[in-house]
Amino acid sequence: MSPSIWQLFIVLAVILIVFLIFGSKNIRNLGSDLGGFIKGFRNAVKDDTKEAQEETEPANDQKETDSKP
């Protein structure tokens, strides 16, 4: 099933509008900006999981020392 000519015109119109709004220079930078955002988000998630593990580990260590005579 191939797209009709009207669907192709709509896609072309959307691409043209995006170029007019953002400009070609900003669209080139969009990929690197998006990649930097994703990389920063992953690092933040990793840091949060490390902090959560560090918070639970001392509590586990205290329970083990309290149960030993």
Side-chain angles (χ1 to χ4, degrees):
M1 184 172 174
S2 63
S4 70
I5 190 75
W6 293 109
Q7 291 172 338
L8 294 175
F9 281 141
I10 291 172
V11 169
L12 183 63
V14 169
I15 292 172
L16 182 63
I17 290 170
V18 168
F19 271 113
L20 290 175
I21 291 174
F22 294 109
S24 62
K25 185 180 277 189
N26 289 337
I27 291 176
R28 276 186 249 145
N29 295 334
L30 184 65
S32 63
D33 291 343
L34 183 63
F37 169 77
I38 292 172
K39 185 176 181 178
F41 181 77
R42 285 182 182 171
N43 289 337
V45 170
K46 286 180 183 178
D47 290 343
D48 287 344
T49 55
K50 285 181 182 178
E51 288 177 8
Q53 288 175 352
E54 289 173 357
E55 289 176 358
T56 57
E57 286 176 2
N60 291 339
D61 291 341
Q62 288 177 350
K63 288 179 183 178
E64 290 175 6
T65 57
D66 290 341
S67 62
K68 293 179 183 177

